[in-house]
Amino acid sequence: MKSSQKNAKTDDNKKKRPQKSKNIRVYELAKRYGMSSRELVAELREFGVPIKNHMSTLNPEMLELVEEERKSKTPKLHAPTDKVPIAAETARDTTPTVEEKEHKSAPEQVEDTPSVPQVQEGTTVGQLGKILGFKGTEMIMKLMKMGIMANINQRLDYDTLQEISNQFKFEVVHKPTLEEKILTDEPDSPQDLVPRSPVVTIMGHVNHGKTSLLDAIRESNVMDTEAGNITQHIGAYHVELENGDVVFLDTPGHAAFTAMRARGAQVTDLVVLVVAADDGVMPQTVEAINHAKAANVPIVVAINKIDVDGARIDYVKQRLAEHDLVPEEWGGQTVFVEISAKERIRVEFLLEMLLLEAELLELKANPNKLARGTIIEAELDKGRGTVATVLVQDGTLKVGDPFIAGRYSGKVRAMINELGQRTREVGPSIPVEVLGFTGIPQAGDRFYALHSERDAKAISDSRQAEHRQARLGPNSHVNLDDLFDHIREGDIKELNVIVKCDVHGSVQAVCDSLRKLSTDEVKINMIHQAVGGITETDILLASASDAIVVGFNVRPTTEAMRAAEFEGIDVRTYSVIYDLISDIHSAMEGLLDPEVREVVIGRAVVRELFKVPRMGTAAGSYVNWGRIVSHQHVRLLRDNRLVYEGRVDSLRRFKNDVSQVQANYECGIGIEGFADFKIDDVLECYTYENIPRKLK
Ligand code: GDP
């Protein structure tokens, strides 16, 4: 039995994967049909079913095709499908889920309707065939001609059905998922809406004074609140002013802002861009501007450090104007406030301006419903379990409310505000620490309070399953490898690109050339361009904006490499501009057909230098990721910039030559033709891998 099972497996044709259950052997099927195995084998071969003998196995998909073929061949010999216990019952799991029941009823509704048939989202190819009056095989063929490859049991999503409906007239009916049923709100009626406070993120170049400004604001607030209260760091805090409150996200910088946006959360209503008057527009200033623009969030400029001697306020304004941030006095629309965070000059005024700016946004929320919000930060606390700061954005959160956030459900056990006080109810635009999670959600995950714990659990289960699936399946971000297919299908009209280069001149050159590649079908958008290595923030921005990242003479940091893998971002690096442009051009034309692809296998960091007789200089290094392999390709990076490319010439551990060194070990590395190592240089070992050609 065992060996025949094995045989049967290999017999299954290579194109179709055998299904887990409900396979049937040819001889068993022959019995059902009341014919000899030999007759059935002959018949199946005639149908083109790839079987070897009577012990071969048919999977449900094949079975359904056979069933269709037999029906059309000898219609009178067969009862209607639903009476034959093969196609309908054997081919499927025995107990239909609620979903399947719903689908089964779909054709019936349709048969009664003489006008355009209705087809539910999620209908299988087979069911669609039935509705449209095609046999399963015919339906598969017709879809194939439209460029849709699907097997008989495959469910068709809304967009695909829409596309098919252009050719075969039917109406696609959207089927709400459990989440949609539970998590979709009725729109609020205007009288239920009340104004809510703006949520502000402070961004800007390092050392321009973001932290100082947050401190100055918090301090001004503490003095106003009751004496003795010390604010706790919970990721956000709110400031009470005469004309209203302002909420600040307490993690300055871009990573948090972009990480949230990468999860689809728009938390920030306003960005305060801090620019030091003595330093001006710097790379992270530009990055912040680009991030805020990409998120469509208005910017208020705070020119900081006006107290220092070298302050050049007008000069800074001019530089900012080049990025479309033009002060009102110059006829622009951007609010500029000249401050000193350190000397507490005009900090209060900045807050007032934020309130004014927020007024224009007419921010409103309905406090009288279940809470909706976003996770600002979350961690595992030794004593308290998972603690997450939730910014409630709509509705009111109460102790005891069941909830779902990201993949985890829970029930609010306790809430603690920024002053460390327990609280029972929290309304819109208020950050609060929440206890009662079953797992650690991610910053940016949406938070929903629900009526029922069971619903929360059900959504959590389905998200967990989806998460597992997504980790196995291909990522959903734009990728040069299948760019052309998406352009052809009309899914992609714009290609978002983040460009990082070693020097300013290259940035210009690369961006200019890329812009020229835009065609009528695809426009190339530079989301962000800058000098420097590819960082984790670049990857998060790419994830949030669905962009690819290209680097010229720069490489990703190790964190960025990990993030790119996790987020599924296509990162391409080049040392010849022509190659970069040519790759993107080819990808747009569908001509990119790499047979080999570079794969980074490890990284090491140089810790000391030593002279080796007859060899020159070797780098005493620590492998911090992957492994270093002797004679493989290696490149030397300094500040994430490419310095040299060559081969691993010698690889040693304790004076012994070794063929490879794994992560967390030290070793001596020599590079062919290179001796100019410096401490902290990164050695990146890589190889080339053959890419199996995809069948189209
Ligand atoms: P961040 O990296 O943007 O968070 O910048 P910090 O808030 O850490 O500030 C960097 C440095 O600038 C610190 O030494 C601050 O004391 C100083 N600094 C911040 N604001 C001012 C200011 O308004 N005037 C002066 N003179 N120094 C400031």
Side-chain angles (χ1 to χ4, degrees), residues 282-287 290 497-508 510-511 526-535 538 550-552 554 641:
M282 298 303 280
Q284 283 170 291
T285 317
V286 179
E287 194 176 281
N290 291 339
V497 187
I498 292 173
V499 176
K500 297 298 288 272
C501 302
D502 55 342
V503 291
H504 196 71
S506 316
V507 177
Q508 285 295 329
V510 169
C511 290
M526 248 59 73
I527 292 281
H528 177 55
Q529 66 244 38
V531 171
I534 297 164
T535 63
D538 293 324
V550 296
F552 173 68
V554 293
R641 282 166 214 209

mmCIF file of all heavy atoms in Angstrom, residues 282-287 290 497-508 510-511 526-535 538 550-552 554 641:
data_model
loop_
_atom_site.group_PDB
_atom_site.id
_atom_site.type_symbol
_atom_site.label_atom_id
_atom_site.label_comp_id
_atom_site.label_asym_id
_atom_site.label_seq_id
_atom_site.Cartn_x
_atom_site.Cartn_y
_atom_site.Cartn_z
ATOM 1 N N MET A 282 19.061 70.066 5.716
ATOM 2 C CA MET A 282 20.003 68.948 5.684
ATOM 3 C C MET A 282 19.279 67.700 5.152
ATOM 4 O O MET A 282 18.059 67.721 4.996
ATOM 5 C CB MET A 282 20.552 68.707 7.095
ATOM 6 C CG MET A 282 21.329 69.891 7.660
ATOM 7 S SD MET A 282 22.709 70.385 6.605
ATOM 8 C CE MET A 282 23.907 69.148 7.074
ATOM 9 N N PRO A 283 20.036 66.623 4.887
ATOM 10 C CA PRO A 283 19.397 65.449 4.269
ATOM 11 C C PRO A 283 18.117 64.979 4.958
ATOM 12 O O PRO A 283 17.116 64.713 4.303
ATOM 13 C CB PRO A 283 20.482 64.383 4.349
ATOM 14 C CG PRO A 283 21.757 65.148 4.324
ATOM 15 C CD PRO A 283 21.492 66.454 5.009
ATOM 16 N N GLN A 284 18.151 64.898 6.305
ATOM 17 C CA GLN A 284 16.933 64.409 6.961
ATOM 18 C C GLN A 284 15.813 65.439 6.951
ATOM 19 O O GLN A 284 14.655 65.092 7.144
ATOM 20 C CB GLN A 284 17.247 63.990 8.392
ATOM 21 C CG GLN A 284 17.939 62.640 8.437
ATOM 22 C CD GLN A 284 18.462 62.353 9.823
ATOM 23 O OE1 GLN A 284 19.407 62.993 10.280
ATOM 24 N NE2 GLN A 284 17.847 61.431 10.500
ATOM 25 N N THR A 285 16.177 66.704 6.726
ATOM 26 C CA THR A 285 15.127 67.716 6.563
ATOM 27 C C THR A 285 14.350 67.385 5.289
ATOM 28 O O THR A 285 13.112 67.372 5.277
ATOM 29 C CB THR A 285 15.746 69.129 6.425
ATOM 30 O OG1 THR A 285 16.786 69.294 7.369
ATOM 31 C CG2 THR A 285 14.700 70.198 6.588
ATOM 32 N N VAL A 286 15.118 67.117 4.243
ATOM 33 C CA VAL A 286 14.491 66.803 2.957
ATOM 34 C C VAL A 286 13.689 65.509 3.064
ATOM 35 O O VAL A 286 12.559 65.406 2.580
ATOM 36 C CB VAL A 286 15.575 66.665 1.861
ATOM 37 C CG1 VAL A 286 14.943 66.310 0.533
ATOM 38 C CG2 VAL A 286 16.377 67.951 1.753
ATOM 39 N N GLU A 287 14.287 64.546 3.764
ATOM 40 C CA GLU A 287 13.598 63.267 3.951
ATOM 41 C C GLU A 287 12.260 63.497 4.650
ATOM 42 O O GLU A 287 11.226 62.990 4.227
ATOM 43 C CB GLU A 287 14.492 62.363 4.792
ATOM 44 C CG GLU A 287 14.095 60.910 4.802
ATOM 45 C CD GLU A 287 15.104 60.075 5.586
ATOM 46 O OE1 GLU A 287 16.164 59.772 5.017
ATOM 47 O OE2 GLU A 287 14.842 59.762 6.750
ATOM 48 N N ASN A 290 9.745 65.013 2.354
ATOM 49 C CA ASN A 290 9.222 64.012 1.422
ATOM 50 C C ASN A 290 8.251 63.051 2.096
ATOM 51 O O ASN A 290 7.234 62.679 1.525
ATOM 52 C CB ASN A 290 10.369 63.230 0.784
ATOM 53 C CG ASN A 290 11.172 64.107 -0.163
ATOM 54 O OD1 ASN A 290 10.673 65.130 -0.631
ATOM 55 N ND2 ASN A 290 12.401 63.731 -0.428
ATOM 56 N N VAL A 497 10.073 55.340 -6.923
ATOM 57 C CA VAL A 497 11.472 54.954 -6.754
ATOM 58 C C VAL A 497 12.123 55.789 -5.652
ATOM 59 O O VAL A 497 11.876 56.992 -5.555
ATOM 60 C CB VAL A 497 12.269 55.165 -8.061
ATOM 61 C CG1 VAL A 497 13.677 54.608 -7.926
ATOM 62 C CG2 VAL A 497 11.569 54.524 -9.238
ATOM 63 N N ILE A 498 12.916 55.126 -4.836
ATOM 64 C CA ILE A 498 13.755 55.833 -3.864
ATOM 65 C C ILE A 498 15.194 55.669 -4.328
ATOM 66 O O ILE A 498 15.627 54.555 -4.605
ATOM 67 C CB ILE A 498 13.556 55.251 -2.455
ATOM 68 C CG1 ILE A 498 12.141 55.572 -1.981
ATOM 69 C CG2 ILE A 498 14.603 55.799 -1.485
ATOM 70 C CD1 ILE A 498 11.743 54.926 -0.699
ATOM 71 N N VAL A 499 15.893 56.774 -4.466
ATOM 72 C CA VAL A 499 17.245 56.749 -5.026
ATOM 73 C C VAL A 499 18.258 57.149 -3.951
ATOM 74 O O VAL A 499 18.117 58.204 -3.327
ATOM 75 C CB VAL A 499 17.350 57.732 -6.218
ATOM 76 C CG1 VAL A 499 18.777 57.784 -6.744
ATOM 77 C CG2 VAL A 499 16.380 57.342 -7.320
ATOM 78 N N LYS A 500 19.243 56.291 -3.728
ATOM 79 C CA LYS A 500 20.322 56.642 -2.798
ATOM 80 C C LYS A 500 21.661 56.489 -3.536
ATOM 81 O O LYS A 500 21.873 55.476 -4.216
ATOM 82 C CB LYS A 500 20.307 55.711 -1.572
ATOM 83 C CG LYS A 500 19.048 55.795 -0.730
ATOM 84 C CD LYS A 500 18.786 57.144 -0.094
ATOM 85 C CE LYS A 500 19.663 57.532 1.032
ATOM 86 N NZ LYS A 500 19.252 57.124 2.373
ATOM 87 N N CYS A 501 22.524 57.494 -3.402
ATOM 88 C CA CYS A 501 23.804 57.454 -4.106
ATOM 89 C C CYS A 501 24.934 57.878 -3.180
ATOM 90 O O CYS A 501 24.696 58.409 -2.101
ATOM 91 C CB CYS A 501 23.792 58.389 -5.310
ATOM 92 S SG CYS A 501 22.509 58.030 -6.498
ATOM 93 N N ASP A 502 26.170 57.674 -3.675
ATOM 94 C CA ASP A 502 27.323 58.018 -2.853
ATOM 95 C C ASP A 502 27.607 59.517 -2.851
ATOM 96 O O ASP A 502 28.048 60.064 -1.859
ATOM 97 C CB ASP A 502 28.566 57.240 -3.299
ATOM 98 C CG ASP A 502 28.872 57.442 -4.773
ATOM 99 O OD1 ASP A 502 27.974 57.891 -5.517
ATOM 100 O OD2 ASP A 502 30.003 57.145 -5.193
ATOM 101 N N VAL A 503 27.359 60.165 -3.974
ATOM 102 C CA VAL A 503 27.624 61.609 -4.007
ATOM 103 C C VAL A 503 26.453 62.346 -4.655
ATOM 104 O O VAL A 503 25.646 61.761 -5.376
ATOM 105 C CB VAL A 503 28.910 61.941 -4.809
ATOM 106 C CG1 VAL A 503 30.139 61.467 -4.079
ATOM 107 C CG2 VAL A 503 28.849 61.368 -6.204
ATOM 108 N N HIS A 504 26.413 63.638 -4.392
ATOM 109 C CA HIS A 504 25.292 64.440 -4.848
ATOM 110 C C HIS A 504 25.126 64.418 -6.370
ATOM 111 O O HIS A 504 24.023 64.287 -6.891
ATOM 112 C CB HIS A 504 25.461 65.873 -4.358
ATOM 113 C CG HIS A 504 24.198 66.650 -4.455
ATOM 114 N ND1 HIS A 504 23.135 66.400 -3.617
ATOM 115 C CD2 HIS A 504 23.819 67.612 -5.306
ATOM 116 C CE1 HIS A 504 22.157 67.204 -3.945
ATOM 117 N NE2 HIS A 504 22.532 67.947 -4.970
ATOM 118 N N GLY A 505 26.263 64.533 -7.073
ATOM 119 C CA GLY A 505 26.211 64.551 -8.533
ATOM 120 C C GLY A 505 25.527 63.316 -9.099
ATOM 121 O O GLY A 505 24.758 63.405 -10.058
ATOM 122 N N SER A 506 25.792 62.160 -8.483
ATOM 123 C CA SER A 506 25.170 60.931 -8.985
ATOM 124 C C SER A 506 23.674 60.956 -8.760
ATOM 125 O O SER A 506 22.904 60.457 -9.573
ATOM 126 C CB SER A 506 25.744 59.709 -8.293
ATOM 127 O OG SER A 506 27.118 59.801 -8.190
ATOM 128 N N VAL A 507 23.252 61.510 -7.615
ATOM 129 C CA VAL A 507 21.816 61.578 -7.337
ATOM 130 C C VAL A 507 21.130 62.300 -8.497
ATOM 131 O O VAL A 507 20.142 61.822 -9.055
ATOM 132 C CB VAL A 507 21.528 62.328 -6.017
ATOM 133 C CG1 VAL A 507 20.027 62.442 -5.789
ATOM 134 C CG2 VAL A 507 22.183 61.631 -4.845
ATOM 135 N N GLN A 508 21.700 63.439 -8.849
ATOM 136 C CA GLN A 508 21.143 64.232 -9.949
ATOM 137 C C GLN A 508 21.086 63.421 -11.231
ATOM 138 O O GLN A 508 20.055 63.330 -11.889
ATOM 139 C CB GLN A 508 22.034 65.469 -10.191
ATOM 140 C CG GLN A 508 21.875 66.545 -9.144
ATOM 141 C CD GLN A 508 20.482 67.132 -9.168
ATOM 142 O OE1 GLN A 508 19.860 67.185 -10.214
ATOM 143 N NE2 GLN A 508 19.966 67.543 -8.026
ATOM 144 N N VAL A 510 21.280 60.179 -11.780
ATOM 145 C CA VAL A 510 20.390 59.017 -11.769
ATOM 146 C C VAL A 510 18.937 59.477 -11.896
ATOM 147 O O VAL A 510 18.168 58.946 -12.703
ATOM 148 C CB VAL A 510 20.587 58.186 -10.478
ATOM 149 C CG1 VAL A 510 19.502 57.136 -10.330
ATOM 150 C CG2 VAL A 510 21.964 57.532 -10.482
ATOM 151 N N CYS A 511 18.573 60.498 -11.107
ATOM 152 C CA CYS A 511 17.178 60.947 -11.124
ATOM 153 C C CYS A 511 16.802 61.501 -12.493
ATOM 154 O O CYS A 511 15.713 61.218 -13.003
ATOM 155 C CB CYS A 511 16.934 61.989 -10.050
ATOM 156 S SG CYS A 511 16.988 61.273 -8.418
ATOM 157 N N MET A 526 10.023 59.993 -8.321
ATOM 158 C CA MET A 526 11.073 59.900 -7.312
ATOM 159 C C MET A 526 10.443 60.305 -5.997
ATOM 160 O O MET A 526 10.127 61.461 -5.768
ATOM 161 C CB MET A 526 12.229 60.828 -7.672
ATOM 162 C CG MET A 526 13.485 60.093 -8.043
ATOM 163 S SD MET A 526 13.317 58.989 -9.437
ATOM 164 C CE MET A 526 13.226 60.197 -10.729
ATOM 165 N N ILE A 527 10.234 59.331 -5.124
ATOM 166 C CA ILE A 527 9.616 59.591 -3.830
ATOM 167 C C ILE A 527 10.620 60.240 -2.907
ATOM 168 O O ILE A 527 10.318 61.075 -2.080
ATOM 169 C CB ILE A 527 9.202 58.250 -3.196
ATOM 170 C CG1 ILE A 527 8.087 57.634 -3.987
ATOM 171 C CG2 ILE A 527 8.812 58.395 -1.761
ATOM 172 C CD1 ILE A 527 6.769 58.227 -3.687
ATOM 173 N N HIS A 528 11.856 59.801 -3.038
ATOM 174 C CA HIS A 528 12.885 60.328 -2.154
ATOM 175 C C HIS A 528 14.233 60.092 -2.799
ATOM 176 O O HIS A 528 14.463 59.035 -3.374
ATOM 177 C CB HIS A 528 12.805 59.611 -0.808
ATOM 178 C CG HIS A 528 13.871 60.025 0.153
ATOM 179 N ND1 HIS A 528 14.075 61.330 0.515
ATOM 180 C CD2 HIS A 528 14.804 59.308 0.817
ATOM 181 C CE1 HIS A 528 15.087 61.391 1.367
ATOM 182 N NE2 HIS A 528 15.546 60.169 1.559
ATOM 183 N N GLN A 529 15.108 61.085 -2.757
ATOM 184 C CA GLN A 529 16.447 60.905 -3.295
ATOM 185 C C GLN A 529 17.426 61.566 -2.353
ATOM 186 O O GLN A 529 17.142 62.648 -1.851
ATOM 187 C CB GLN A 529 16.560 61.499 -4.705
ATOM 188 C CG GLN A 529 16.407 62.995 -4.782
ATOM 189 C CD GLN A 529 15.169 63.381 -5.598
ATOM 190 O OE1 GLN A 529 14.134 62.726 -5.523
ATOM 191 N NE2 GLN A 529 15.273 64.430 -6.367
ATOM 192 N N ALA A 530 18.526 60.882 -2.093
ATOM 193 C CA ALA A 530 19.478 61.453 -1.144
ATOM 194 C C ALA A 530 20.830 60.781 -1.267
ATOM 195 O O ALA A 530 20.959 59.723 -1.872
ATOM 196 C CB ALA A 530 18.956 61.298 0.275
ATOM 197 N N VAL A 531 21.801 61.416 -0.660
ATOM 198 C CA VAL A 531 23.146 60.867 -0.582
ATOM 199 C C VAL A 531 23.231 60.003 0.668
ATOM 200 O O VAL A 531 22.706 60.381 1.706
ATOM 201 C CB VAL A 531 24.164 62.028 -0.485
ATOM 202 C CG1 VAL A 531 25.560 61.509 -0.185
ATOM 203 C CG2 VAL A 531 24.159 62.838 -1.772
ATOM 204 N N GLY A 532 23.854 58.832 0.554
ATOM 205 C CA GLY A 532 24.043 57.998 1.744
ATOM 206 C C GLY A 532 23.611 56.568 1.513
ATOM 207 O O GLY A 532 22.994 56.255 0.491
ATOM 208 N N GLY A 533 23.957 55.711 2.474
ATOM 209 C CA GLY A 533 23.598 54.301 2.376
ATOM 210 C C GLY A 533 22.098 54.105 2.467
ATOM 211 O O GLY A 533 21.365 55.006 2.859
ATOM 212 N N ILE A 534 21.654 52.901 2.099
ATOM 213 C CA ILE A 534 20.226 52.597 2.159
ATOM 214 C C ILE A 534 19.896 52.182 3.587
ATOM 215 O O ILE A 534 20.456 51.225 4.104
ATOM 216 C CB ILE A 534 19.883 51.486 1.156
ATOM 217 C CG1 ILE A 534 20.168 51.987 -0.261
ATOM 218 C CG2 ILE A 534 18.430 51.051 1.297
ATOM 219 C CD1 ILE A 534 20.245 50.886 -1.294
ATOM 220 N N THR A 535 19.014 52.940 4.236
ATOM 221 C CA THR A 535 18.729 52.704 5.646
ATOM 222 C C THR A 535 17.371 52.047 5.825
ATOM 223 O O THR A 535 16.590 51.933 4.888
ATOM 224 C CB THR A 535 18.697 54.041 6.418
ATOM 225 O OG1 THR A 535 17.601 54.807 5.876
ATOM 226 C CG2 THR A 535 19.980 54.818 6.253
ATOM 227 N N ASP A 538 14.557 54.167 4.743
ATOM 228 C CA ASP A 538 14.275 54.122 3.305
ATOM 229 C C ASP A 538 13.355 52.948 2.985
ATOM 230 O O ASP A 538 12.434 53.055 2.184
ATOM 231 C CB ASP A 538 15.574 53.965 2.506
ATOM 232 C CG ASP A 538 16.466 55.193 2.613
ATOM 233 O OD1 ASP A 538 15.918 56.303 2.667
ATOM 234 O OD2 ASP A 538 17.697 55.029 2.640
ATOM 235 N N VAL A 550 16.641 51.992 -5.293
ATOM 236 C CA VAL A 550 17.847 51.744 -6.070
ATOM 237 C C VAL A 550 19.004 52.499 -5.435
ATOM 238 O O VAL A 550 18.854 53.614 -4.952
ATOM 239 C CB VAL A 550 17.710 52.148 -7.558
ATOM 240 C CG1 VAL A 550 16.668 51.309 -8.256
ATOM 241 C CG2 VAL A 550 17.391 53.610 -7.720
ATOM 242 N N GLY A 551 20.149 51.841 -5.401
ATOM 243 C CA GLY A 551 21.334 52.446 -4.815
ATOM 244 C C GLY A 551 22.435 52.473 -5.851
ATOM 245 O O GLY A 551 22.617 51.510 -6.594
ATOM 246 N N PHE A 552 23.140 53.592 -5.906
ATOM 247 C CA PHE A 552 24.277 53.673 -6.803
ATOM 248 C C PHE A 552 25.529 53.883 -5.958
ATOM 249 O O PHE A 552 25.634 54.877 -5.241
ATOM 250 C CB PHE A 552 24.095 54.808 -7.809
ATOM 251 C CG PHE A 552 25.312 55.039 -8.649
ATOM 252 C CD1 PHE A 552 25.709 54.077 -9.576
ATOM 253 C CD2 PHE A 552 26.084 56.167 -8.493
ATOM 254 C CE1 PHE A 552 26.843 54.254 -10.333
ATOM 255 C CE2 PHE A 552 27.230 56.360 -9.256
ATOM 256 C CZ PHE A 552 27.608 55.394 -10.180
ATOM 257 N N VAL A 554 26.192 52.629 -3.289
ATOM 258 C CA VAL A 554 25.901 52.503 -1.861
ATOM 259 C C VAL A 554 25.211 51.162 -1.652
ATOM 260 O O VAL A 554 24.702 50.563 -2.598
ATOM 261 C CB VAL A 554 24.979 53.628 -1.332
ATOM 262 C CG1 VAL A 554 25.684 54.960 -1.369
ATOM 263 C CG2 VAL A 554 23.669 53.663 -2.099
ATOM 264 N N ARG A 641 28.926 52.905 1.885
ATOM 265 C CA ARG A 641 29.304 53.235 0.519
ATOM 266 C C ARG A 641 30.286 52.203 0.014
ATOM 267 O O ARG A 641 31.122 51.703 0.762
ATOM 268 C CB ARG A 641 29.957 54.605 0.455
ATOM 269 C CG ARG A 641 28.911 55.680 0.515
ATOM 270 C CD ARG A 641 29.530 57.005 0.784
ATOM 271 N NE ARG A 641 28.579 57.741 1.591
ATOM 272 C CZ ARG A 641 28.462 59.041 1.587
ATOM 273 N NH1 ARG A 641 29.235 59.767 0.837
ATOM 274 N NH2 ARG A 641 27.566 59.628 2.331
#
